[in-house]
Amino acid sequence: GAVVSQHPSRVICKSGTSVKIECRSLDFQATTMFWYRQFPKQSLMLMATSNEGSKATYEQGVEKDKFLINHASLTLSTLTVTSAHPEDSSFYICSAREGLLGNTIYFGEGSWLTVV
Amino acid sequence: RKEVEQDPGPFNVPEGATVAFNCTYSNSASQSFFWYRQDCRKEPKLLMSVYSSGNEDGRFTAQLNRASQYISLLIRDSKLSDSATYLCVVSDTGRRALTFGSGTRLQVQP
């Protein structure tokens, strides 16, 4: 079945550095991908919607210059956390919708980011 | 007010018990409704979609009341493996992203 692969699953970085997280759809074309963030004991919060070949749409309160999203192909979207700070430590998870009209959303395994 | 509200729990129940979770949503434009299950430090996994007529999948029954903007999940004959956080999720046709509730934690005890 359809699978979304997310990498890395865990990353520790120093404050001030940048970290890139990849989200790949393995056997389907994902026109739209979504990036979520989840802090401990809280809900998944949508950060941005990524559309292949166009700029991402960010949710209110999410800094687009800090969380760079690139969706250059139908199978890959990347999230780069720039100049990371300890408060950016969180669980980041992507999801992908198959095709333009697909109703099923597939989730990646998530990435745990710890900024020290 | 949160878009999707759930009782955070935790619900501590013995094996074999029946447990019900409730959820309310604020966006009347919501068109699709789901229950997801999330295990500790893992990604959420779809448990079941929720249809207006109500639907059942084995021990799990989901109900939707559009007039009251209310969704429920009933788990019968609880198993130890049902221990997880249950997320109420809605989606509207416009944005087509999923909006998650904060989840209700279930702990089934032997």
Side-chain angles (χ1 to χ4, degrees), chain A:
Chain A
V3 175
V4 173
S5 176
Q6 192 172 335
H7 177 80
S9 58
R10 293 179 182 275
V11 57
I12 299 173
C13 71
K14 290 185 177 180
S15 189
T17 62
S18 296
V19 174
K20 180 185 285 188
I21 301 170
E22 293 187 348
C23 180
R24 293 180 185 275
S25 57
L26 296 186
D27 56 1
F28 68 97
Q29 293 185 333
T31 307
T32 305
M33 289 186 172
F34 305 95
W35 286 95
Y36 292 85
R37 177 170 56 184
Q38 185 178 33
F39 292 108
K41 298 185 179 181
Q42 293 188 26
S43 179
L44 278 77
M45 298 300 296
L46 180 66
M47 299 175 67
T49 301
S50 167
N51 295 299
E52 185 268 336
S54 63
K55 290 183 179 180
T57 302
Y58 289 81
E59 295 299 302
Q60 190 173 11
V62 178
E63 300 173 59
K64 62 180 181 181
D65 294 329
K66 180 169 180 62
F67 298 99
L68 301 178
I69 291 173
N70 184 284
H71 193 158
S73 78
L74 285 170
T75 59
L76 174 65
S77 176
T78 61
L79 168 68
T80 301
V81 183
T82 62
S83 186
H85 291 283
E87 57 265 31
D88 298 324
S89 299
S90 185
F91 185 55
Y92 292 86
I93 188 164
C94 71
S95 66
R97 183 184 296 277
E98 184 174 1
L100 286 173
L101 301 177
N103 288 321
T104 303
I105 293 183
Y106 305 97
F107 281 87
E109 306 96 327
S111 300
W112 283 97
L113 170 63
T114 302
V115 184
V116 297

Side-chain angles (χ1 to χ4, degrees), chain B residues 9-73:
Chain B
F11 283 56
N12 295 304
V13 303
E15 271 187 289
T18 296
V19 61
F21 303 139
N22 302 319
C23 166
T24 57
Y25 60 95
S26 61
N27 185 355
S28 58
S30 299
Q31 292 292 327
S32 301
F33 309 90
F34 311 91
W35 283 101
Y36 275 74
R37 169 194 171 129
Q38 186 176 26
D39 292 289
C40 189
R41 303 175 76 85
K42 299 281 190 180
E43 77 275 20
K45 294 187 177 177
L46 179 64
L47 180 65
M48 59 195 302
S49 300
V50 187
Y51 303 113
S52 297
S53 55
N55 49 298
E56 186 175 308
D57 183 1
R59 298 182 293 110
F60 300 87
T61 301
Q63 297 277 354
L64 167 65
N65 184 322
R66 285 185 183 268
S68 303
Q69 295 183 195
Y70 170 92
I71 307 164
S72 66
L73 176 68

